Amino acid sequence: MSADHEAPAGGVRRTLEGGIGTLILDNPAARNAMTAPLQAQLIEGLRALGADPECRVIVIAGEGGHFCAGGDVKGMVTLTADNADRKLVAMQEMIRGVVEAPKPVIAAVEGVAVGGGMALAAACDFVVAARDARFASAFVKIGLMPDLGAMWTLTMRMGLGRARAFLMSGEVMGAEAAREGGMIEEVVDPGQALPRAQEMAAGFATMATRALARTKSYMARMPMGFDEALKLEPDAQTACIISEDFAEGRAAFLEKRAPVFKGR
């Protein structure tokens, strides 16, 4: 099944093929900065793909050689004490859409991923970045604190000490340093981030969707106490046990063949 959703300039292109939903941030003139149309279409794309049973995994990438330059600073001139809370809460739905998506989400990063763009990538389950990609938390350099969940996602990825140093310094981090620090999972040659992300996605598209969803949901609650962790397991595991995918996985194991999961 294949579906293509063309977006107006400055929005998000959406495709679904072979179980892989792809969201392309399409505002290249501004290095895919998070304008209001882009935010709205990214949220809608995540919701649509998350709810579509034909979609097994989601890939997010940027058009024009960059992932995302973060918030639309030009648009911030209209921020006031009255509307700042409302606008931030609306933007947070992007990050919720990634973290709470019932499918793996992979970021394919070329060029820059800074500010909100860095936060978007960090919220994904896996990040593949080109060797010349650059990451930065630019918030402090314009007098803001990190938002869009960055303090949580970066701490989860890098540990408290490294995350604090990165977020409070505002320094630029290259892809190799980002991988060594735990911010990203894999470094590839320039121009290969999206192909590699789609290759990873193809592997996830053959796996048991419900099991992946439950694993992701469970780990999104970390850190948690040991007792709490054990209490969460029975309901989550039972949901997997009654799934068609478990029946197929069990049969395939006993029959000594590769399983064919259908995401049910």
Side-chain angles (χ1 to χ4, degrees), residues 15-16 19-22 48-58 103 209:
T15 64
L16 174 57
I20 302 172
T22 303
L49 292 175
D52 192 331
E54 296 296 324
C55 178
R56 311 285 290 277
V57 57
I58 299 170
K103 290 134 192 200
T209 306

Side-chain angles (χ1 to χ4, degrees), residues 1-232:
M1 178 179 179
S2 174
D4 298 289
H5 298 263
E6 293 297 329
V12 175
R13 300 199 317 273
R14 183 168 91 236
T15 64
L16 174 57
E17 187 169 3
I20 302 172
T22 303
L23 298 169
I24 304 294
L25 312 183
D26 191 5
N27 186 20
R31 298 192 298 181
N32 304 315
M34 292 178 174
T35 59
L38 187 146
Q39 294 169 36
Q41 290 170 31
L42 181 55
I43 291 169
E44 172 56 28
L46 287 165
R47 286 174 178 166
L49 292 175
D52 192 331
E54 296 296 324
C55 178
R56 311 285 290 277
V57 57
I58 299 170
V59 175
I60 302 176
E63 183 62 60
H66 292 289
F67 184 70
C68 179
D72 180 17
V73 179
K74 292 181 180 178
M76 293 181 186
V77 297
T78 62
L79 288 180
T80 67
D82 293 330
N83 66 22
D85 284 0
R86 175 173 50 80
K87 289 188 176 183
L88 178 55
V89 169
M91 290 182 69
Q92 287 174 341
E93 288 305 306
M94 292 186 299
I95 304 304
R96 287 187 182 278
V98 172
V99 174
E100 297 179 359
K103 290 134 192 200
V105 182
I106 305 171
V109 178
E110 299 276 354
V112 301
V114 300
M118 178 277 302
L120 176 61
C124 295
D125 300 296
F126 304 95
V127 184
V128 178
R131 203 170 308 281
D132 57 356
R134 304 181 302 285
F135 299 84
S137 176
F139 297 97
V140 295
K141 292 193 173 182
I142 60 172
L144 296 175
M145 60 168 276
D147 58 21
L148 299 186
M151 288 185 281
W152 185 83
T153 55
L154 265 295
T155 298
M156 293 290 289
R157 282 182 163 274
M158 305 174 74
L160 180 58
R162 286 177 173 175
R164 179 166 50 208
F166 174 69
L167 292 171
M168 294 181 71
S169 70
E171 293 182 356
V172 177
M173 185 180 293
E176 290 290 357
R179 182 184 61 78
E180 292 173 5
M183 184 190 298
I184 69 175
E185 279 66 52
E186 192 167 333
V187 177
V188 297
D189 290 335
Q192 295 304 304
L194 181 55
R196 174 56 184 146
Q198 290 175 325
E199 181 181 19
M200 291 176 62
F204 283 115
T206 67
M207 298 174 70
T209 306
R210 186 174 297 189
L212 289 174
R214 292 289 177 170
T215 302
K216 173 174 176 171
S217 176
Y218 187 100
M219 297 192 72
R221 301 188 186 199
M222 297 294 184
M224 66 176 80
F226 180 64
D227 285 342
E228 183 184 358
L230 292 183
K231 287 178 181 178
L232 288 174

